[in-house]
Amino acid sequence: MNVLLWGALPYVAFALLVAGIVWRYRYDRFGWTTRSSQIYESKLLNIASPVFHYGILFVLAGHLLGLFVPASWTDAIGVTAHTYHLFSLYGGTLAGAVALAGIALLVYRRRTRAPVFRATTANDKVMYLVLVAAIVLGMWAKVAHSTPTAGYEYRDTIAPWARSLFRLSPDVSLMSGVPVLYQIHAVAGMILIALVPYTRLIHMFAAPVQYLFRPYIVYRSPDERQLARRGAPRGW
């Protein structure tokens, strides 16, 4: 089971991610979108969407820092283990709470606005479920195994395991003694990574670079005098 979960599943998730991105780009370019429902309702969306996106960006940044920046690097710049722990505990929990608040508002909007609810697919529901599960499990694992003075040192186990994956030599033994909540969170995260290209989350791999180079679009107000000369259009 250790080999399956920590030696095979990460590569299966990565393969599904890459294959899904390539497939969507080749055969579903017009579906490479968030399928925005702003046309149906924008007031709640203008609050919920930024809240979720800022929260999830900080969550991702925290994971990248924790998994791929060794403790020796942070020590070298003067960040003590205790300082890092406090930043991880309070900063990570706050970021997760903000992301969850954004998701809660988005789900509330989808459930209470009939046009938005009708545009919600089974795919969306699965995506929300896995996304929420991954965030909640991560927060639960952190809080359950931490106090303000100390906590589980995942940079000695989970982080080296994650880096070993990129060396194509996964050290599955590092994950054998990891607390169960952290293990479940890691599995949920890998499932989420595998689902990304097959859901609306695919939009994270699209950057509107072409907008930097496209010609200007000039909007002009109509000339009232010309409209007056033409007269009103004929009705029914």
Side-chain angles (χ1 to χ4, degrees), residues 214-232:
R214 71 177 186 174
Y216 290 108
I217 300 176
V218 180
Y219 293 93
R220 295 186 176 90
S221 300
D223 189 330
E224 299 294 340
R225 293 172 300 178
Q226 292 182 355
L227 290 177
R229 283 198 297 269
R230 289 192 304 182

